[in-house]
Amino acid sequence: MPQFEAGTFDCIVIGAGHAGAEAAHAAAQMGARTLVLTMNLDMIAFMPCNPSLGGPAKGIVVREIDALGGVMGKVIDKTHIQMRMLNTGKGPAVRALRAQADKVLYQQEMKRTLEDQENLSLHQGVVEELIVEDGEVKGVITQIGAVYRAKTVIITTGTFLRGEVIIGDLKYSSGPNNQMPSIGLADSLRDLGFDTVRFKTGTPPRVNSKTVDFSKTEIQPGDEEPHAFSFETTEFITDQLPCWLTYTTPLTHQLINDNLHLSPMYSGVIKGKGPSYCPSIEDKIVRFADKSRHQIFLEPEGRNTREMYVQGLSTSLPEHVQRKMIESVPGLEKAEMLRAGYAIEYDAIVPTQLWPTLETKKIRNLYTAGQINGTSGYEEAAAQGIMAGINAACNVLQKEEVVLGRADAYIGVLIDDLVTKGTSEPYRLLTSRAEYRLLLRHDNADLRLTETGHSLGLISEERYAAFLLKKQQIEEEIERLRSISVKPEAAVQGIIEAAGGTPLREPMKAADLLKRPEMKYSEISRVIPAEVPCSKEVAEQVEISIKYEGYIEKAMQQVTRMKKMENKRIPDGIDYHAISGLAKEARANLSEVRPLSIAQASRISGVNPADVSILLVYIEQGKIAKISG
C-alpha cells in the first residue's frame, strides 16, 4: 500500500469512544492542534452496553470530569431520559447520581460538541501502525496508507483491539455492536513490546417494549426533583421515562443450569477474564445458587425507539436459550427479542506499563486511556481520557503535567490503582476502593477540582467567577453559624421540638445546634435567617461541612500524613535488585512499576511495610545503586 503525508498535529487521538472524546476535547481546548481518528464517525461516544451513566462512585467521576472542564456531564444532562439520586438515605459519601441516556441523542450531541470544538479535526480512518523512532512516537499510519505526524498520540481503542464476539459456540472477529475490530494496531503494540492481557465483557439481550406486559413489573420512575451532573446546567429535562423492575424465576435458573454446557464461559470457548463485579446471568446462577431470584431492570434505550435493555441478564448463551430465558421472566413471556446478548473478548495492555500521567513507560509521548488500560465502564474511560488529553497537551505546550492524588478525586484513585497495582480483571471503580471517600463526594467535586480545570484553560472565566462566589458564600455562612448564639426562646424551642430534638437549656452556637443529627440547615435558617438566603448548593455544603466536621478533619489529617510520603520522591533509575533486605517479590514488583514516591511504592502488591522501611533508609542515606546505562 503506497503511503502519503496526510497532516501534522500536536496530538492524535485514536478512537472516539468515551475516553477518546474527553481526551480530544481537553487537548484541543487547551490549545493543542488535535486530530481524532475513528473507524466510524457515526459511532462517536456510542454506548454498546447499558445506555446509562453514573451510580455509586461512577456518578462522582462524571461530576469530577465536569469540574475539570470535561463534556460528559453536559452531554448527559441534555440527553437523558431519566435521572435518580441514589443512596439518599445514607451519608453524603455514598450518594451518587445515575442517569438513563437516550443512546442516539447522547452520541449525536457528543459528536456535535467535538465538531464545534476549535483546534479539533475529526477524520474517519483505521489506524494500523504507530510510527516510533528512538523510543518516541512520531505519528500513525492508517489502513489506506495515510501518514499523520504528531508530537503526542493517545490510544483509546476500547474493546476493539483484536475483538471477538461470542454467542454460544459461535465466535467471530468483531468489535462491539458488529463494528470492525482493530487487528493491525494490536499487532503494532505487541511488536513494540507491550505486555497485553485478554479480557472479556458482555451485554444482555434487547426486547421490543410493545411486547412487554408491564402490569407484571414494578415501575421505577425518575426523581421529581431535578438533578444535573454538570455544574453549568441550568435547564432541566422534566418529561422523564420510567424504567421497570422484574425478577428471574426458578424456571429461568433451571434453563440456565440445564444449558451451562452450552455457555462459552463454562465450555472453555471464552478465555478472557471478565469483571467479577458485573457477572453474567450464568455466573450469578452458579455463584449465588442459594438465591431464588435476581433483579432484572427493563430500561428504554431512547425516546424514539421501542428497544429496551434487559439489565441484569447479560449472557453469551446460544440465542435459542436466550429466547427461553426471556420468556421465563414475568412481564416478558411474549417479549420479542430484538438483539441477542453476547460476550466480547479483547486485548488490553497491562496498566503497570504506564506512568501516573498515562504516558507509556516504553514509548515516550504515547498515552493510553480507557478500556485498553483494563477498565470497564464509560465513566472510568472518560476519566482516563480527560487526564490523558490534559497531559498530552501539557507535554506539547511545555507545561507541568497533572496527576490527581487519591485524596483529590476518584479519578486519582482509579489511575493510581491501575498504574500501581495493575488489574487481573476489567477494573470497576467502587466507593470501597477510596480510603478518603468522605472527602470525595458528589456534592463537592467543584470545590476539589475547579481550580485545576481553570488553571489549565478548561473552565471559562464566567464559570470560575461563579465558583469563587459560591466558595465565598459557603465560607461566610459557616462563619456566621459559628459566631451566632441561639437562645432558648419559645419560637426556637418549637422548631427544635418539631424536628424531634431536645429543647435548649441554655444558649448554643448555631453551628453546634446544626451538628445535632435531627437538625437540618433548613431549620437552622428559620431559627437565624440570613440576610440573603443561601442557594440550595451552598446550604448543602454548609450542612455537610458542619455536621461531618470531626470526620472530615480526621480524614484531612490522614491525607497530610500520606502527602509526606508522596513528597518522599524515589530517584530515577534505581536498581531495586541491588538493595539488600528487600523481599524477592518486592524487588520484582518495584522494578516493574518503578514508583515515583514512597507512598506509591507502599501501595504496590507484594511490597510490605518492612520493604518500605528498608527503601526509606536507603533513600535517606543516599546508598541506592542506579541501573547502569
Side-chain angles (χ1 to χ4, degrees), residues 200-278:
K200 165 258 174 188
T201 188
T203 189
R206 274 70 159 180
V207 297
N208 188 330
S209 64
K210 280 198 309 183
T211 61
V212 175
D213 184 354
F214 291 106
S215 68
K216 297 181 179 179
T217 66
E218 303 169 30
I219 192 168
Q220 304 284 301
D223 290 349
E224 291 185 11
E225 180 184 357
H227 301 294
F229 279 103
S230 175
F231 291 92
E232 291 190 70
T233 297
T234 55
E235 296 182 6
F236 300 91
I237 294 172
T238 55
D239 58 329
Q240 301 185 78
L241 301 183
C243 296
W244 308 83
L245 172 64
T246 183
Y247 296 88
T248 59
T249 63
L251 176 56
T252 316
H253 298 200
Q254 187 62 50
L255 281 165
I256 292 169
N257 281 320
D258 288 348
N259 290 281
L260 273 181
H261 62 288
L262 300 177
S263 169
M265 286 185 61
Y266 293 92
S267 66
V269 173
I270 290 178
K271 307 293 184 186
K273 177 70 172 168
S276 59
Y277 295 103
C278 188

Side-chain angles (χ1 to χ4, degrees), residues 60 92-94 410 431-441:
I60 300 173
V94 292
Y410 270 99
T431 53
S432 59
R433 296 192 192 271
E435 58 269 50
Y436 308 117
R437 54 187 172 272
L438 182 56
L439 304 179
L440 310 180
R441 306 186 308 272

Side-chain angles (χ1 to χ4, degrees), residues 41-62:
L41 286 171
D42 295 325
M43 301 293 285
I44 288 174
F46 182 70
M47 295 180 171
C49 201
N50 192 350
S52 70
L53 291 177
K58 291 168 173 277
I60 300 173
V61 167
V62 180

Side-chain angles (χ1 to χ4, degrees), residues 436 558-570 595-603 607-609 612-613 615-616 619-620:
Y436 308 117
Q558 294 173 337
V559 171
T560 301
R561 288 195 294 271
M562 179 56 70
K563 281 189 174 175
K564 288 180 181 177
M565 292 180 68
E566 296 286 2
N567 292 333
K568 289 188 183 293
R569 309 298 287 180
I570 298 176
L596 301 176
S597 69
I598 288 294
Q600 188 185 4
S602 72
R603 296 190 291 268
V607 176
N608 59 45
V612 173
S613 297
L615 193 54
L616 263 173
I619 289 175
E620 289 170 356

Side-chain angles (χ1 to χ4, degrees), residues 174-189:
S174 175
N177 208 48
N178 284 330
Q179 293 294 297
M180 185 190 307
S182 179
I183 306 298
L185 184 57
D187 291 339
S188 182
L189 288 170

